[in-house]
């Protein structure tokens, strides 16, 4: 049978990142490749306790179909947390989603027609690029520096593409670079969205995982005109396997999101929603997040020390104040895949930069994750990586 796929399906049969992550799952390999939280901090007992209570108190409701908007209990949890990001919204502006990944997909479904222009950061989260490509978007990337997307470059992109419909940004501890958009740029972006009349999808999965520096308000907090849609998730502050996130948007849009969600999955898992709401009732989430940030800071510091110790002096690296990733650029490396293949053979893994770019690729770039490996693994793995870089640089 020759299957006739829709145009949404990628033409290529290869999945280099998937292959890499499968190879890196080998326990002999020290993997800085994935984007996994530290599982030793999952509050397994507390979640189990919450689950037991949910089954006792409302087992039948928890196993029944639910509303596409989400359970009122979990929506209330989200509404209470929005103040942390300076967002003023009430429950009618919130919908619970199946992770923030679903919000990216539903946003594509809601706004994008074939050929619509979407502006993204250069580089950006590869699974968001996959979503926008699947809806036939014309992707335009805007360069970043340590303060996030460059606003002069964005204005140029908007002048070149006044038809821009959507801009996707991860303003805090970005995936893959770990960089954070400055306060001034957040304000400017909200103004530009109103001026040029495009939607901003503000994806903030990592914002709560800040271990240094001063917390910054969300871009959404500067939105006076309904141009900014905000999404976040329980994946990094609690557990990604629960698959729960949320979207904050004007009421009219939340109603549209609910229609799109109905055709995607009817609603997010009701049982998980009750369990998470119960977890929040029973526990102090801030002290749990403090444990996560303390561990990630320790691991980030170790990784930065190891870069200084084991990598050539020409290497540049980002300085994340939170989140899970450091972005590396090695001048002189033209084929990052070759470095990656060599590293896998030598039992260490990272994700090469290529898939994070939608157009021109910056060679010699790659992403390192520090949240998921122990201090010993970080030291040994970074030493191996440093030796591999020296070898590829020498051999060319
Ligand atoms: N956005 C970004 C930037 C991510 O890195 C991820 C996953 N790591 C997601 C969205 C999706 O996360 P989830 O669906 O688990 O909320």
């Amino acid at each position: 049978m020759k299957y006739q796929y829709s145009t949404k399906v990628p033409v290529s049969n290869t999945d280099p990142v998937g292959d890499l992550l499968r190879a890196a799952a080998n326990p002999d390999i020290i993997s800085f490749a994935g984007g996994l939280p530290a599982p030793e901090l999952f509050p397994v007992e507390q979640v189990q306790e919450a689950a037991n209570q949910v089954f006792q108190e409302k087992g039948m409701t928890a196993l029944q179909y639910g509303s596409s908007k989400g359970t009122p209990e979990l929506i209330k949890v989200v509404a209470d947390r929005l103040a942390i990001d300076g967002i003023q919204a009430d429950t009618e502006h919130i919908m619970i989603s199946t992770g923030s990944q679903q919000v990216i997909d539903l946003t594509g479904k809601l706004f994008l027609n074939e050929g619509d222009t979407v502006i993204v950061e250069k580089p950006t989260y590869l699974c968001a690029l996959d979503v926008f490509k699947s809806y036939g978007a014309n992707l335009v990337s805007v360069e970043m520096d340590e303060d996030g997307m460059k606003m002069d470059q964005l204005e140029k992109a908007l002048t070149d593409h006044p038809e821009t419909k959507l801009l996707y940004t991860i303003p805090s501890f970005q995936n893959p670079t770990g960089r954070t958009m400055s306060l001034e740029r957040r304000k400017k972006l909200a103004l530009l969205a109103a001026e040029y009349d495009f939607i901003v999808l503000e994806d903030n999965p990592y914002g709560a995982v800040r271990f240094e520096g001063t917390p910054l308000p969300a871009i959404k907090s500067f939105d006076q005109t309904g141009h900014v849609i905000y999404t976040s998730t329980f994946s990094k502050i609690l557990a990604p396997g629960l698959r729960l996130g949320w979207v904050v948007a004007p009421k009219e849009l939340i109603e549209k999101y609910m229609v799109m969600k109905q055709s995607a999955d009817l609603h997010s898992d009701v049982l998980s929603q009750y369990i998470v709401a119960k977890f929040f009732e029973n526990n102090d989430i801030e002290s749990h997040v403090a444990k996560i940030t303390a561990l990630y800071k320790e691991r980030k510091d170790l990784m930065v020390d190891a870069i200084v110790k084991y990598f050539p002096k020409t290497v540049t690296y980002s300085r994340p104040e939170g989140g899970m990733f450091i972005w590396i650029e090695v001048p002189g490396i033209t084929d990052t895949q070759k470095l990656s293949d060599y590293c896998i053979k030598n039992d260490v893994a990272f994700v090469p930069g290529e898939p994070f770019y939608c157009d021109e690729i910056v060679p010699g770039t790659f992403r390192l994750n520090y949240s998921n490996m122990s201090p010993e693994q970080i030291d040994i793995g970074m030493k191996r990586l440093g030796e591999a870089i020296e070898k590829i640089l020498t051999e060319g």
Side-chain angles (χ1 to χ4, degrees):
M1 168 76 195
K2 186 166 170 16
Y3 297 105
Q4 300 294 320
Y5 296 109
S6 85
T7 51
K8 290 189 175 51
V9 179
V11 181
S12 164
N13 274 331
T14 61
D15 176 14
V17 179
D19 292 345
L20 171 75
L21 293 177
R22 277 184 285 278
N26 173 346
D28 294 335
I29 293 186
I30 294 179
S31 177
F32 306 127
L36 304 183
E40 60 271 36
L41 291 186
F42 293 154
V44 177
E45 278 170 25
Q46 293 91 323
V47 172
Q48 187 178 12
E49 167 75 21
N52 288 341
Q53 284 173 268
V54 168
F55 279 119
Q56 272 162 20
E57 290 166 16
K58 46 188 157 203
M60 284 190 278
T61 329
L63 295 175
Q64 187 54 283
Y65 281 117
S67 133
S68 51
K69 186 169 162 61
T71 64
E73 290 83 347
L74 195 62
I75 290 174
K76 172 86 173 54
V77 168
V78 170
D80 290 347
R81 282 191 69 74
L82 290 179
I84 299 173
D85 288 315
I87 299 174
Q88 285 186 334
D90 52 41
T91 53
E92 64 182 13
H93 303 118
I94 298 166
M95 182 187 81
I96 301 298
S97 59
T98 304
S100 47
Q101 186 66 35
Q102 184 177 49
V103 176
I104 304 173
D105 187 55
L106 295 181
T107 305
K109 224 178 183 179
L110 199 49
F111 290 105
L112 297 181
N113 293 314
E114 190 79 25
D116 280 347
T117 299
V118 176
I119 295 184
V120 295
E121 285 152 346
K122 177 183 181 170
T124 192
Y125 175 45
L126 66 100
C127 297
L129 287 178
D130 288 344
V131 168
F132 301 136
K133 281 180 198 161
S134 79
Y135 289 105
N138 165 37
L139 288 163
V140 174
S141 70
V142 172
E143 280 180 16
M144 309 172 78
D145 60 20
E146 282 306 300
D147 286 333
M149 191 182 255
K150 292 182 181 170
M151 287 298 125
D152 55 340
Q153 303 268 332
L154 173 59
E155 287 199 78
K156 185 175 176 308
L158 289 167
T159 314
D160 293 347
H161 298 278
E163 77 288 355
T164 297
K165 201 157 187 188
L166 184 70
L167 180 146
Y168 171 73
T169 176
I170 310 151
S172 295
F173 325 129
Q174 196 234 21
N175 182 0
T177 65
R179 292 168 179 153
T180 293
M181 189 184 282
S182 67
L183 180 63
E184 291 69 32
R185 290 189 190 178
R186 288 170 191 239
K187 289 181 185 165
K188 177 81 181 169
L189 180 50
L191 287 175
L192 287 173
E195 187 184 334
Y196 287 85
D197 199 20
F198 59 87
I199 299 282
V200 174
L201 177 58
E202 177 177 22
D203 184 12
N204 188 29
Y206 303 102
V209 189
R210 175 181 278 280
F211 42 70
E212 282 166 13
T214 318
L216 290 171
I219 301 163
K220 175 81 188 149
S221 73
F222 303 112
D223 176 30
Q224 305 285 336
T225 48
H227 283 82
V228 183
I229 296 169
Y230 174 94
T231 179
S232 187
T233 179
F234 292 103
S235 291
K236 318 295 162 169
I237 56 168
L238 192 47
L242 293 161
R243 304 308 305 128
L244 289 174
W246 62 90
V247 57
V248 183
K251 187 167 177 277
E252 177 190 326
L253 285 184
I254 290 296
E255 280 160 13
K256 297 283 187 223
Y257 271 107
M258 281 163 61
V259 174
M260 299 328 244
K261 185 169 168 62
Q262 269 168 36
S263 62
D265 63 354
L266 296 182
H267 58 78
S268 296
D269 187 319
V270 179
L271 177 60
S272 297
Q273 292 185 65
Y274 277 131
I275 292 172
V276 172
K278 187 55 88 179
F279 174 90
F280 271 74
E281 198 182 308
N282 295 349
N283 297 279
D284 174 17
I285 188 69
E286 294 317 327
S287 69
H288 178 62
V289 172
K291 285 186 202 147
I292 299 175
T293 51
L295 188 79
Y296 290 6
K297 177 174 164 39
E298 183 189 318
R299 293 182 178 182
K300 185 274 295 179
D301 285 346
L302 284 172
M303 191 168 261
V304 168
D305 290 350
I307 292 171
V308 175
K309 196 155 117 196
Y310 299 126
F311 283 15
K313 297 292 162 260
T314 50
V315 164
T316 59
Y317 55 96
S318 60
R319 288 166 175 73
E321 295 187 330
M324 314 197 317
F325 304 111
I326 296 182
W327 186 243
I328 305 285
E329 187 172 343
V330 191
I333 296 242
T334 47
D335 187 349
T336 322
Q337 192 55 48
K338 186 175 166 191
L339 175 67
S340 175
D341 294 344
Y342 179 83
C343 281
I344 290 279
K345 285 197 198 104
N346 288 278
D347 292 340
V348 63
F350 60 82
V351 182
E354 278 83 340
F356 300 103
Y357 292 100
C358 62
D359 39 36
E360 184 203 11
I361 290 156
V362 179
T365 52
F366 57 89
R367 187 190 77 178
L368 294 177
N369 165 266
Y370 48 80
S371 56
N372 192 245
M373 289 285 122
S374 69
E376 298 70 37
Q377 288 170 314
I378 291 176
D379 191 65
I380 299 167
M382 292 295 281
K383 187 160 186 280
R384 285 182 196 160
L385 192 44
E387 285 162 4
I389 293 172
E390 296 281 8
K391 184 169 166 64
I392 300 290
L393 278 176
T394 322
E395 284 181 1

